[in-house]
Amino acid sequence: MTATESEPTPVDFWFDPLCPWAWIASRWLLEVTEVRPVQPRWHVMSLSVLNEGRDLPEQYQRLMAEGWGPVRVAIAAEQRFGPQVLGRLYTALGTRFHHEKMPKNRETILAALAEAELPAELADAAESTAYDEALRASHRNGMDRVGYEVGTPVIAIGDVAFFGPVVTPIPRGEAAGRLYDGVLLVAGTDGFYELKRSRDREPVFD
């Protein structure tokens, strides 16, 4: 095996910390790293940006209003310390949002920053529009690959990107690897666009 063949395959993953389906898919991707030569590269997208100007139910409008803070903080952290910090910050935020059901407020963001070993002053970005241009650029970088009729997560392997995978519960071990093999298969199929069925389960965070 050559050195090139032994190098991990980069897999780009766009996430919004609010989205439970993105959270499950991201944990699946981390499972894949244990059984396949894969290197995740994390990127920020925003459901709040995606849904701007849309007529949404009141409950969803409130969620979208809450969504600006975490993604602004993630972009601020990326700008200051580089994209390598996004994975651990996402893990810290997602654990609190989805497993611990903590509110999406400054106190939760501060706790996540502390766990990720990032400075507390990054929390100020949650209320600032200074990072919105960079946020929108990161969002477009993912969405332009798949179209704007979908949401998060977006996954890209090489030049091919998809929305998804949408799966629950989190595939573990070799099951995670087999799902990744399937993603590789469809990514390598010219003209493949979609497999879909209606969801009949809520997200499961095991």
Side-chain angles (χ1 to χ4, degrees):
M1 178 178 290
T2 68
T4 300
E5 291 172 335
S6 65
E7 292 175 359
T9 299
V11 177
D12 292 286
F13 188 99
W14 280 262
F15 67 90
D16 184 322
L18 261 65
C19 179
W21 299 104
W23 175 249
I24 291 174
S26 72
R27 301 310 95 178
W28 157 75
L29 186 56
L30 291 178
E31 287 283 323
V32 173
T33 66
E34 300 296 323
V35 293
R36 299 291 188 273
V38 165
Q39 178 61 55
R41 297 191 299 201
W42 307 103
H43 309 273
V44 182
M45 66 164 292
S46 171
L47 291 172
S48 300
V49 170
L50 184 66
N51 287 288
E52 279 184 309
R54 296 185 180 181
D55 185 17
L56 303 172
E58 183 177 347
Q59 181 179 1
Y60 204 66
Q61 288 179 6
R62 289 196 299 269
L63 183 62
M64 293 303 96
E66 292 177 332
W68 288 100
V71 290
R72 285 168 170 165
V73 170
I75 289 292
E78 180 183 24
Q79 286 195 345
R80 184 166 171 183
F81 297 102
Q84 67 273 11
V85 305
L86 285 177
R88 67 177 190 261
L89 178 57
Y90 180 29
T91 292
L93 287 168
T95 299
R96 285 162 174 79
F97 291 164
H98 303 297
H99 293 268
E100 300 173 12
K101 309 301 181 184
M102 295 178 68
K104 300 165 183 68
N105 58 20
R106 182 179 177 86
E107 288 70 27
T108 302
I109 290 172
L110 284 168
L113 287 168
E115 180 182 319
E117 300 180 335
L118 293 167
E121 60 262 27
L122 287 172
D124 295 340
E127 303 299 327
S128 172
T129 60
Y131 299 94
D132 287 4
E133 183 177 352
L135 170 61
R136 293 176 190 278
S138 181
H139 176 83
R140 286 194 303 270
N141 187 25
M143 299 305 295
D144 284 351
R145 300 164 187 251
V146 292
Y148 285 76
E149 69 276 8
V150 299
T152 180
V154 169
I155 187 171
I157 303 173
D159 295 330
V160 180
F162 297 108
F163 163 65
V166 176
V167 61
T168 193
I170 303 164
R172 305 288 186 181
E174 185 57 26
R178 289 194 299 271
L179 177 55
Y180 174 73
D181 295 341
V183 172
L184 276 183
L185 177 63
V186 297
T189 302
D190 181 48
F192 178 88
Y193 291 101
E194 186 174 11
L195 281 172
K196 188 173 176 63
R197 62 175 177 167
S198 297
R199 295 195 300 266
D200 59 3
R201 298 190 204 176
E202 293 298 314
V204 176
F205 312 118
D206 58 347

